[in-house]
Amino acid sequence: MSTQPEAPFSHGSTPKTAVLYCNLGTPDAPTAPALRRYLAQFLSDPRVVEIPRIVWKAILHGIILRVRPAKSAAKYASIWTSEGSPLKVWTEKQAKLLQGHLGERGHKISVRYAMRYGQPSIASTLSALRAEGVTRVLVLPAYPQYSGATTASVVDDVANWALKTRHLPELRFVNRYHDDPLYIAALADSVRRHWAAHGRPEKLVMSFHGMPARTLELGDPYHCECLKTGRLLAESLGLSKTEYVVTFQSRFGKAKWLEPYTEPTLKKLAAEGLRHVAVICPGFSADCLETLEEISLEARDAFLQAGGQKFDYIPCLNDDPAGMRALSALAERHLQGWPTQEAPDAGGLQRQRERALALGAKD
């Protein structure tokens, strides 16, 4: 096994701590070539597609990467901003705000963001942190609910980097925060604000990213954690079981996925006579293609065309202050035991001792 060259070891250097905030990823541009590169990496992950490699490789390169990139590029183009991909813009902003929040609480640490697929990569960001002398890294995936296809895949990527690294930093991982009280409170607060501005709907639809149904059968906790998030959010809002529904979106392929599906559910609600629905996506930490295009555009059209009259999309937490406080509290909790504050200089310690002695003499 070969490892990357290391900088000369520095004796007596001060340990440094960092948080690596990891999101799913995004193409570099809303173009077919960029989508082809992105999808090739994403859909080649055995955590994402769990079918025999030989069979899947033929399907991926023989069909999907020939057809899907152009279609996906058009969807990305519909939500692309002057700053770039919404997911990347929000994730970068969240990392900066997280460092600020932790700094205000006295923690002198670096917070960097990375993407599991696309750029900046987890490996390149970890290498950059090591070059800066970071000796402890908290890996914080942006996924509230744990899944093998998301959270575990981040751990895989960190492990792959570690295999090529001689001098490893101490590593910690956050697996989930689906039932964190501050996270639930931030979601509930965002819903209340939206209702105050746009009116209360007849039904709140909580749409989570879908997973193949067999993942539940194989022991993945994702489905259960989504349901728990939905139940806790409903309880915080004081909703009865008839006033909300948990659904799953973003199906891929012909296999059965977690149900009920989001778009068919919206069509059914409209057919049953519901005029006003609001949709929130609690499993997404930042707005992205799946929320801005699939929900706010496609699902909206489906509901209205099926007879609904008003469709509200409640944005992700993004840079919401309550959401950032929840994220910083989560990070702080997992950083416990690591020195993340600058020690006072020797002269300062001596002055503190002298002052304490003087006060004691006066007493």
Side-chain angles (χ1 to χ4, degrees):
M1 181 179 69
S2 60
T3 58
Q4 298 295 327
E6 292 280 347
F9 181 73
S10 178
H11 294 275
S13 57
T14 303
K16 296 180 180 179
T17 302
V19 174
L20 182 63
Y21 183 57
C22 303
N23 215 328
L24 184 77
T26 180
D28 297 323
T31 63
L35 262 299
R36 189 170 293 109
R37 291 191 299 272
Y38 173 72
L39 290 173
Q41 183 187 12
F42 175 46
L43 296 176
S44 294
D45 187 345
R47 290 278 194 180
V48 174
V49 181
E50 298 184 70
I51 65 176
R53 295 290 91 193
I54 296 178
V55 175
W56 175 241
K57 188 174 181 180
I59 296 172
L60 177 62
H61 293 278
I63 302 173
I64 294 174
L65 293 180
R66 295 174 182 271
V67 178
R68 193 174 177 89
K71 294 180 179 179
S72 295
K75 293 184 177 183
Y76 270 99
S78 70
I79 55 102
W80 210 260
T81 74
S82 58
E83 298 176 272
S85 163
L87 178 69
K88 188 171 183 178
V89 171
W90 284 123
T91 304
E92 182 176 15
K93 185 175 291 187
Q94 287 172 332
K96 291 178 179 177
L97 289 171
L98 180 56
Q99 179 163 324
H101 275 268
L102 291 171
E104 290 174 358
R105 298 181 66 84
H107 301 285
K108 184 176 175 59
I109 63 174
S110 298
V111 178
R112 302 291 175 81
Y113 79 97
M115 299 297 182
R116 175 61 183 89
Y117 315 102
Q119 300 299 324
S121 69
I122 289 174
S124 65
T125 307
L126 283 169
S127 293
L129 289 171
R130 282 289 298 115
E132 295 169 14
V134 169
T135 56
R136 301 181 182 93
V137 180
L138 172 66
V139 180
L140 173 55
Y143 318 122
Q145 295 77 26
Y146 177 96
S147 173
T150 53
T151 314
S153 184
V154 167
V155 178
D156 289 346
D157 213 24
V158 174
N160 288 333
W161 170 82
L163 284 171
K164 302 173 185 177
T165 304
R166 181 177 300 278
H167 189 184
L168 289 172
E170 293 180 61
L171 293 166
R172 290 181 183 174
F173 297 87
V174 178
N175 267 16
R176 53 177 56 80
Y177 59 97
H178 67 289
D179 56 357
D180 181 83
L182 292 180
Y183 156 68
I184 298 297
L187 289 173
D189 186 55
S190 73
V191 173
R192 293 190 191 97
R193 290 198 310 270
H194 195 276
W195 287 354
H198 302 279
R200 181 165 176 150
E202 296 166 87
K203 182 87 76 171
L204 177 64
V205 178
M206 304 177 191
S207 181
F208 293 83
H209 198 289
M211 293 289 173
R214 68 188 297 268
T215 60
L216 174 60
E217 300 165 3
L218 293 172
D220 198 298
Y222 178 75
H223 178 260
C224 298
E225 294 187 4
C226 290
L227 294 183
K228 186 172 184 180
T229 297
R231 175 176 60 80
L232 293 175
L233 177 55
E235 290 174 357
S236 182
L237 293 168
L239 298 178
S240 68
K241 291 183 179 180
T242 62
E243 293 178 300
Y244 78 98
V245 60
V246 171
T247 63
F248 297 89
Q249 63 182 86
S250 309
R251 282 180 291 163
F252 180 78
K254 297 181 179 180
K256 181 180 179 181
W257 281 48
L258 297 177
E259 295 178 316
Y261 303 140
T262 298
E263 189 169 306
T265 297
L266 288 167
K267 291 179 179 178
K268 181 182 177 183
L269 292 175
E272 291 173 349
L274 267 72
R275 296 167 297 174
H276 182 193
V277 299
V279 181
I280 187 171
C281 300
F284 296 88
S285 59
D287 275 310
C288 55
L289 180 75
E290 287 79 5
T291 64
L292 298 175
E293 196 278 335
E294 185 179 354
I295 296 299
S296 189
L297 296 179
E298 289 188 3
R300 178 192 303 274
D301 288 347
F303 177 72
L304 297 178
Q305 290 174 13
Q309 296 183 13
K310 186 177 181 182
F311 179 102
D312 291 334
Y313 168 62
I314 302 173
C316 295
L317 292 176
N318 296 323
D319 62 350
D320 177 81
M324 291 309 308
R325 286 194 294 273
L327 199 62
S328 60
L330 176 72
E332 188 173 37
R333 189 161 65 248
H334 286 268
L335 287 166
Q336 287 184 14
W338 278 353
T340 59
Q341 297 172 319
E342 284 188 301
D345 60 83
L349 286 172
Q350 181 61 30
R351 287 191 293 274
Q352 289 179 23
R353 294 191 190 98
E354 291 173 354
R355 185 170 182 272
L357 289 171
L359 289 172
K362 289 179 181 179
D363 292 340

